Amino acid sequence: LGGELPSQMATADFWRTTTLLPCGELTLDAFVALLQHPRRPPIAKLSLYFLKNDVNAAWIAAIADHVPELVSLKCPGAEGLRADCVAPFVRLAPRLEKLVLDNCVRLRSQDLVPIVGAARALRHLSLAGVRGGDDAVLSEVGRTASCLEALDLLNCHRVTDAAIESVASLPLRMLSVGGCVNLTNASLTSLERARSLTVLQCPGLDNLYDSNLMASIGRNCPIKDIDVRFCYHIKARSNVKKLLEELAQEYENARKNGGGGGGGAEPENGGAVTNESSFLGGDAAEFQL
């Protein structure tokens, strides 16, 4: 696409018929030309896939400069994202409601802290497989992301119970902590405050126990979906349907008795995780590169 993209964009049908996935050879100049094209529609959501060796600080700066309407950015596996991308990310972050940085392995904790600190409007944050995802980053998330509803920390091995304590008071509906091997039952106790939590994914955590799950999560959170595979101290792990029924009963009993879940408001949409389109709008285009 590199040399032909600007001329292709001269036709009005380009925006209605062209799929830009994958664009492994897309150059930065062509990408900027795309963003600057006078006939492009608003871009609310941008997904940068198959460009892991190219997406770097210059790409983030181009997005920050030319896409003021952007609210969702996904750039998983972008190995070019490192310390020098912090400044353009900080300019971009305040408008973002969704940020996916899965497996951006060169981002360190000290890089992520100012990025999430500037992203005060975030409703969905995914740091799965990011080595720099640690307690300091989650402490900043808990301090600034007051609207956060979905948090994915899959295989963030440096996350401890202190991180969950930091984010437990946010209006989380979905939390994924599978592979966070340092988490213990103290994390479940912290999640007593997550009164809107409906989806909990914690496979592979061998430090969780049945009694704590019921006492903390069951009584306080309207869980609709749970993943406890390979949590060997949770006996009901092989029968998720039964476990969900027990959690629901525990929650209902707590409400009837005036404790636990009775203290929080019932989540909207029957407890379902907010659909991305409900807060990103349906009129703007999504580009996947």
Side-chain angles (χ1 to χ4, degrees):
L1 286 174
E4 300 177 7
L5 187 59
S7 61
Q8 288 178 343
M9 286 189 289
T11 64
D13 286 340
F14 173 84
W15 300 103
R16 291 194 292 269
T17 62
T18 300
T19 300
L20 301 177
L21 175 66
C23 294
E25 301 302 320
L26 184 65
T27 66
L28 176 61
D29 288 343
F31 179 62
V32 172
L34 184 154
L35 299 183
Q36 292 180 321
H37 195 278
R39 301 180 70 175
R40 76 161 176 84
I43 300 176
K45 299 177 283 184
L46 180 60
S47 300
L48 299 175
Y49 293 102
F50 305 108
L51 296 166
K52 67 178 183 179
N53 294 318
D54 295 321
V55 177
N56 53 34
W59 288 69
I60 303 303
I63 296 168
D65 292 338
H66 301 300
V67 195
E69 70 274 22
L70 191 74
V71 293
S72 172
L73 176 63
K74 304 177 187 177
C75 41
E79 296 179 3
L81 295 182
R82 58 191 78 186
D84 60 351
C85 76
V86 172
F89 250 127
V90 168
R91 289 194 285 118
L92 174 65
R95 72 192 77 156
L96 294 180
E97 296 182 8
K98 181 170 185 175
L99 178 60
V100 175
L101 296 173
D102 297 350
N103 298 308
C104 293
V105 294
R106 297 189 180 183
L107 287 175
R108 304 165 300 171
S109 175
Q110 57 265 44
D111 304 326
L112 291 167
V113 168
I115 293 172
V116 299
R120 294 178 175 269
L122 275 184
R123 298 176 70 174
H124 183 133
L125 175 63
S126 186
L127 299 174
V130 178
R131 298 171 187 170
D134 61 11
D135 291 1
V137 175
L138 272 297
S139 176
E140 188 70 3
V141 171
R143 189 181 70 84
T144 60
S146 60
C147 301
L148 195 68
E149 297 178 353
L151 178 60
D152 189 349
L153 302 173
L154 179 68
N155 291 329
C156 289
H157 302 303
R158 297 180 180 178
V159 165
T160 73
D161 294 331
I164 306 304
E165 170 72 20
S166 297
V167 301
S169 294
L170 299 177
L172 292 174
R173 296 172 185 251
M174 189 283 285
L175 176 64
S176 174
V177 290
C180 297
V181 294
N182 292 315
L183 297 185
T184 70
N185 283 307
S187 295
L188 296 179
T189 301
S190 296
L191 289 175
E192 291 178 0
R193 305 198 310 275
R195 298 298 177 89
S196 298
L197 190 66
T198 61
V199 178
L200 176 62
Q201 299 174 347
C202 52
L205 302 190
D206 201 27
N207 295 320
L208 306 184
Y209 290 81
D210 275 328
S211 57
N212 302 81
L213 184 67
M214 290 298 166
S216 300
I217 303 299
R219 294 177 187 173
N220 297 283
C221 306
I223 295 294
K224 306 295 183 183
D225 189 17
I226 191 167
D227 185 352
V228 289
R229 291 171 298 164
F230 310 111
C231 296
Y232 294 110
H233 295 295
I234 296 180
K235 297 177 182 178
R237 66 184 181 276
S238 59
N239 191 339
V240 174
K241 181 179 179 181
K242 180 181 178 182
L243 176 58
L244 286 172
E245 291 174 351
E246 293 175 353
L247 289 168
Q249 187 61 55
E250 192 75 26
Y251 181 74
E252 186 61 27
N253 291 340
R255 287 173 64 86
K256 289 179 179 178
N257 295 331
E266 190 70 24
E268 299 175 5
N269 304 325
V273 178
T274 301
N275 186 283
E276 181 182 31
S277 62
S278 68
F279 63 84
L280 295 184
D283 296 330
E286 176 175 14
F287 289 91
Q288 298 189 21
L289 301 181

